[in-house]
Amino acid sequence: MTKYLISFPSEAMVLSEADLEAAGRDSRAVIAAAKAAGVYVFAGGINEGVEPVKVAADGAISAELYPGSQLAGGFAVFELPNREAAVIWASRLAAACRCDQELREFMYDPAS
């Protein structure tokens, strides 16, 4: 089975407070369904209150990130049999979060 990243940037969720509460409830229901189906790997949101840093091989820390590497918002990783199943789960999360989701496939690594 293949692992898929389903995600959205934080700026995609432009919701009222009431809609935000409903989106949280509905997205947690989708995650619960994914757990029950045995396809859930991990989900969460990036803590945007903590600045990201770049760490070099020697342990040096820099605030300068790679160009275009901004990562913000929410994400889920599911392990699924095919891309069609991933699209179905992504659409369920899109409906729950009230915003489109991006779908990416992880490359297979037999050692991981």
Side-chain angles (χ1 to χ4, degrees), residues 80-90:
L80 299 160
N82 54 50
R83 189 166 182 87
E84 292 77 21
V87 168
I88 291 168
W89 282 101

Side-chain angles (χ1 to χ4, degrees), residues 5-82:
L5 174 67
I6 302 169
S7 63
F8 64 90
S10 55
E11 63 267 12
M13 287 190 79
V14 182
L15 303 174
S16 69
E17 189 63 36
D19 285 340
L20 188 59
E21 287 181 36
R25 179 193 65 239
D26 294 348
S27 63
R28 284 189 292 278
V30 174
I31 295 299
K35 288 178 180 180
V39 300
Y40 175 84
V41 175
F42 183 79
I46 300 297
N47 183 346
E48 296 176 40
V50 177
E51 292 296 321
V53 296
K54 184 167 57 174
V55 180
D58 65 359
I61 297 171
S62 170
E64 182 181 331
L65 303 178
Y66 291 112
S69 68
Q70 180 186 3
L71 179 60
F75 61 90
V77 177
F78 293 170
E79 189 165 29
L80 299 160
N82 54 50

